[in-house]
Structure formats: C-alpha cells, structure tokens
Amino acid sequence: MYRIGVNLNPRVENEGDPAPKFGVLFLSPAIALSTENLSMKPLPILLLLTVALSASAIADPSPRITPTVRLIQQAEPAVVAVFSEQGQGKLSSGSGAIIHEEGYILTADHVVRDRPGWVLLEDRPPVRYRMIGRSPEKDLAVIKIDAAQPLARIPLGRSHDLMTGEPILAAGNPGGRGIVFSSGIVSSRQVLLGMNALVMSQFASDTRDRFILFDAASNPGNSGGPLLNAEGRQIGVVCGKYKEEENENFAIPADRVRRHLPSIVAAQQRGGFSTGIETDPLAGEATVVAVAADSAAARAGVQPGDVLVQFDGKPVRDAVDWHLLLVGRKPQQSVELIYRHAEETKTVSLTLDDYPLEPSVAEEGRSPGLHYALYTGRYTAMPDFSAIKSQAEGATDVFHASKVAGDLKDGYALVFTGYVKIPRTGVYTLGVSSDDGSRLYLHDELLLDNDGPHPAQEITHVVRLSEGLHPIRVEYTEISGDEQLEVYIEGEGLTRQTIPAAMLFRDGENGEG
C-alpha cells in the first residue's frame, strides 16, 4: 500500500544543486491504495497529479526567497552608482535612486555639487548625467540621464508616519564598488545632528531640521542612496553618519524632499513658462491646491481640489511626477491635460503662458543702501512687527545684523527694506542664512521663511526676475547665541555672493530715508 503526495517545499540535499522548479512526487506506505487501484482508475489519479503539480509550480521554489529578497529584486534596478569628476583625474563616488522612469535621479547634493559625472546602472554601460536642480543647504539634488526606454523607478513615499523599529533597507554604492544593500531598523524617527537632548529640551519652539536615524550598515559612497521601507517606497535619502559611533547613520526624510522638490526642479521658472497650477507636495495624488487667476489652467477650467491624472500623454501619479514632467517645456507650447473633477474625468488642451514677471521700478529718486528698523524684546519667534514699535531707524549699506544692533547681542529684531537691482532678466537663486529667525519678501510676497530659533541655517528659492529694481524686505530675529545674517544671490553670470552694496537701493535721495 502506498500514499501519494506532493512536497511543495522540498529539501535540497546538495547545496550545489539548483532548487527544483516544482514539487517532488513521493510514495510512502500508508493507506489502502494499491498499485492495482492505480491501474484500474487512471483518470482520478492523473487529475490528482495535475492539480498537485500545478499548485507546486505557483508556490515559491525556495524558502530563501524571503520578503527582503523580493524587495531588493524589485528595487535593485532603480538604485544607481553616481561618480562625479573632482578634477585631476579624481572621481567622487556616491549613490542615487531613479524616481521617474524618464531617468530623473534623486541624490544628495554633496555627491554631485556642480560637477559633471556618470551614472552606472545595473547591467548597463556608464552614462553622463546632467543637473536638473540642487539645494546645497538641504543637501538635495535631482539629476537626469537619457533613457531610450522607461527605467525602473522607486516611488517616493512619506516619512510622517515612520515607526521606531520598523524594518528598512539602505542601498548605495559604498567605496565606489557598485550597488550594495544592507538591512536594519529605524532607530529614531527624528534626531538632531550634534545636539545634546538635555540642552534641546529647553527649546520647545526649535525649528531646525530633523533626520531619520537608522542602524543598517552605511559607509562613504552610500550618500544619496535610498532608504526603503518594507513597502518598497523611498522614505529617506542617505546623507551621513557619526564616525565616532557604531550604527549611527542618517537620512533626509522623504517629506522634506517632497516640500523642497518644486523649488529644486523649478521647471517653470527655468523654462520661462507658467501653468498656473500649484499642487500639494504631500498628497498621495497630484491634488491641485491653487490656480492662478487668468492662467492657462484657469482658462482650461482646472479648480482647487481637482486631481491631475495625465500630462502630455504621460501619467501623473503625484506632485513629484507633475514637477518632473514640466521640465523642458516651453512658453506657448500646447499640451493635453487630463484631470479629475469630482467624479468626472476631463480632457483639455493647455497652452503654456509666458512666465509672469513682476515689473521693476525706476532707479531715479532712490539712494544707495537700505532702510532699517530696530526692535527690542525677549522674542521666541518672529514678532508681529505691525503690533510693536521700533526703538531706532536709519540707513545702512548692506544686510548686516550686528552692525546695526550695536551693543545688543540678544533679544532684538530687525526689518530691512529697500530694492535689489537685478542686472538682467533671467533666473536667480535668492537665499537667507541666519542663526535664528529670518524671512525674505520680494514684491511683498513671502519668498523665504527661515523662522527660528535655530543655529545657522540656510534656505533658498529660485525666482525669475526682470532687469531693474525690485522691492525687497528682510526680517531678522536674534533670540540667543551668535548673530548671523547673510542674504545672498546667484545666477545670470553672478556666482553666489552676499548681495553687495552696489545692488541695494532705498527710497529717498541724498541720504534721506
């Protein structure tokens, strides 16, 4: 007597033997089913064997193929090695992740800076990358490679709901050796770099950036690579480690990437066109949150709350896709836009407008320098200047806190007003670096909000400006510690520099403010 069965997970006796592709049929002494019965009733037996073998073919061939292995198999084609030229034949190695199938790669800014270089993909020859946009102060950059066909991608996830202890994978190019994966957990959802927890407990309103702490192995060359959760989504960009401590590695949270990506890419400012659409960077879909009046989108009927579905024949999955698909577009170009309004899907033709430029003002009747107003008080954040009275006012040649504040070291605020002279129409990066709170307004629009308290911290924004004078206002709050305020400009032939006195003007002539 024999029992017929199928082993769906057979043991492989020899490590050198490949795992079988289907289950193993076995016979063993058991119940009353004789060889005579096998010959007498072939149809049920054959049917039993067919069903058993079909089921075994569907099952995983080996217990070695764990969820982690499957996750790596899915992500590996979208993780890239990045090599940038440092001059004199030297290369700097780092990592990146493809976030869009057309070849857009997210990496850390210190991996590429403004240097040319190559990207190495799995089983492909090296290919040159080009810079799309960068944010040195946030250590983020987007580069692009040309792709003859769609590439594998890693979707950019969210970091707001991270759990301490949840499993993660870190991927990258340590030592320039190619793509390597390591596993671990989220050790902390948000940590401050180089700060003592007891000291920081005294600063409830602190606004400085936090980072994801993880314990997976990470070494020089991993920077710029993705930190992946168990769903295969990128929840962070690897950016550094504590060399003095074991298993202390850091990643920039995905939500910070999402918030800054529109300014990093700045497709409309750089391309000189406008859609009139503003999307929610954190939403799971490309959700419209604002539509500019009399814009291309307004004329096409797009409204806040609508969801963008397709642009120029390509899917728009979220705000990341939206901004990347805008790269390279031109003014007056007509494209097809498909969006969802309530339960209705609409298809419209969108003609891209010229980018709206704020008009410059005349230089006549204005003097070199800035007007300032000084306020004193024990501030914990930027005060409401309309509700307090200044203690002193006057003129100064540049944005400089301690020069105006004199003997005051803490507990004061400043407002600088005037005009910045733009040498020619084009694209510029304006930035503010301050040790506590700072804000920059251009044409009365809040462009940079760097409110404190925090140590020296930079923030930038890409703008498109016409030649001439433009109204500028900078607010600064010194709460405690160092007094640092720098307002700088870069672009259209200008290397990064503190805005010089020659570019600053104020109302009034002959020293009158």
Side-chain angles (χ1 to χ4, degrees):
M1 303 253 185
Y2 293 89
R3 175 164 58 89
I4 298 177
V6 177
N7 183 357
L8 298 181
N9 218 354
R11 178 185 172 205
V12 179
E13 298 293 343
N14 188 334
E15 288 186 1
D17 294 338
K21 299 299 182 183
F22 45 80
V24 176
L25 177 70
F26 63 87
L27 301 175
S28 61
I31 57 176
L33 180 61
S34 67
T35 54
E36 293 180 5
N37 289 336
L38 286 174
S39 60
M40 291 173 60
K41 298 182 180 180
L43 184 59
I45 296 301
L46 290 176
L47 182 60
L48 172 64
L49 292 178
T50 300
V51 172
L53 292 176
S54 297
S56 67
I58 295 173
D60 283 338
S62 167
R64 294 162 51 198
I65 303 180
T66 64
T68 299
V69 170
R70 285 193 290 270
L71 191 61
I72 291 176
Q73 290 173 342
Q74 174 184 323
E76 193 167 22
V79 182
V80 303
V82 181
F83 299 91
S84 64
E85 300 177 19
Q86 290 189 313
Q88 300 178 339
K90 295 182 180 179
L91 290 175
S92 173
S93 61
S95 314
I98 300 172
I99 57 173
H100 193 277
E101 53 268 31
E102 291 190 357
Y104 291 94
I105 296 168
L106 176 64
T107 185
D109 181 71
H110 76 265
V111 169
V112 291
R113 302 192 191 278
D114 56 357
R115 304 183 296 248
W118 291 268
V119 165
L120 187 61
L121 288 78
E122 182 183 41
D123 300 326
R124 299 188 186 210
V127 58
R128 284 278 189 180
Y129 67 75
R130 63 184 175 92
M131 179 62 63
I132 295 300
R134 51 190 294 251
S135 174
E137 73 279 4
K138 297 300 179 183
D139 197 17
L140 293 169
V142 175
I143 59 177
K144 188 181 187 304
I145 57 175
D146 292 330
Q149 56 188 15
L151 300 174
R153 63 182 278 270
I154 296 175
L156 188 61
R158 294 289 312 276
S159 54
H160 69 294
D161 59 352
L162 291 180
M163 296 176 288
T164 302
E166 72 170 284
I168 52 88
L169 288 174
N173 172 37
R177 293 185 298 274
I179 302 307
V180 173
F181 283 80
S182 59
S183 64
I185 63 168
V186 172
S187 303
S188 176
R189 294 169 296 163
Q190 50 178 9
V191 296
L192 282 169
L193 302 187
M195 295 304 300
N196 181 280
L198 180 60
V199 173
M200 291 312 302
S201 67
Q202 307 303 309
F203 295 91
S205 60
D206 175 74
T207 59
R208 72 192 75 189
D209 289 338
R210 265 67 173 175
F211 294 80
I212 302 169
L213 179 68
F214 65 95
D215 70 344
S218 182
N219 293 288
N222 272 100
S223 287
L227 193 70
L228 305 171
N229 66 11
E231 297 174 340
R233 295 183 176 276
Q234 182 169 359
I235 57 170
V237 178
V238 177
C239 61
K241 65 181 300 177
Y242 274 144
K243 295 181 180 179
E244 306 83 16
E245 302 176 15
E246 294 183 3
N247 305 325
E248 298 282 305
N249 307 298
F250 301 97
I252 301 165
D255 281 7
R256 191 183 310 158
V257 177
R258 284 178 169 271
R259 289 189 182 98
H260 289 276
L261 187 132
S263 180
I264 293 171
V265 175
Q268 300 184 71
Q269 292 92 328
R270 300 184 201 277
F273 68 90
S274 174
T275 62
I277 293 174
E278 182 181 342
T279 53
D280 181 352
L282 301 178
E285 300 178 296
T287 304
V288 177
V289 294
V291 177
D294 195 31
S295 64
R299 293 191 296 273
V302 181
Q303 301 176 32
D306 292 347
V307 175
L308 309 179
V309 176
Q310 193 176 101
F311 181 75
D312 200 23
K314 297 171 184 176
V316 181
R317 291 160 291 218
D318 56 14
V320 174
D321 281 357
W322 171 245
H323 289 285
L324 296 178
L325 289 173
L326 291 176
V327 173
R329 306 296 172 177
K330 302 295 181 184
Q332 304 308 311
Q333 180 180 356
S334 293
V335 294
E336 183 184 79
L337 176 69
I338 299 178
Y339 66 95
R340 190 171 68 248
H341 177 78
E343 300 300 320
E344 183 182 0
T345 298
K346 298 187 176 184
T347 301
V348 296
S349 178
L350 198 72
T351 300
L352 305 179
D353 293 328
D354 291 333
Y355 192 85
L357 294 175
E358 291 283 359
S360 59
V361 299
E363 187 173 333
E364 183 180 357
R366 292 178 171 87
S367 302
L370 297 163
H371 177 270
Y372 75 85
L374 172 67
Y375 305 78
T376 58
R378 303 305 300 177
Y379 305 118
T380 58
M382 195 74 69
D384 178 2
F385 292 103
S386 66
I388 57 178
K389 184 177 180 180
S390 64
Q391 274 67 53
E393 297 191 16
T396 183
D397 56 347
V398 292
F399 297 103
H400 198 293
S402 60
K403 182 177 180 180
V404 172
D407 294 335
L408 292 173
K409 300 302 178 185
D410 294 321
Y412 69 86
L414 289 166
V415 175
F416 299 89
T417 54
Y419 303 86
V420 57
K421 185 176 182 178
I422 299 303
R424 62 175 181 266
T425 300
V427 179
Y428 294 85
T429 298
L430 289 175
V432 173
S433 176
S434 64
D435 68 308
D436 279 321
S438 57
R439 289 177 181 154
L440 185 151
Y441 295 79
L442 201 65
H443 288 275
D444 294 325
E445 178 186 353
L446 179 59
L447 197 68
L448 298 169
D449 190 349
N450 197 23
D451 202 0
H454 51 68
Q457 179 173 291
E458 297 181 14
I459 186 170
T460 65
H461 194 84
V462 176
V463 292
R464 192 175 189 91
L465 297 171
S466 57
E467 180 180 345
L469 300 188
H470 293 266
I472 189 170
R473 172 186 171 101
V474 172
E475 302 172 349
Y476 172 70
T477 308
E478 173 52 40
I479 299 171
S480 64
D482 297 331
E483 298 171 273
Q484 178 176 325
L485 173 65
E486 179 190 6
V487 183
Y488 60 88
I489 188 169
E490 181 180 3
E492 298 301 328
L494 298 176
T495 57
R496 172 176 159 157
Q497 57 189 283
T498 299
I499 299 181
M503 294 180 66
L504 295 173
F505 293 82
R506 60 189 175 86
D507 290 326
E509 294 187 42
N510 302 321
E512 297 176 1

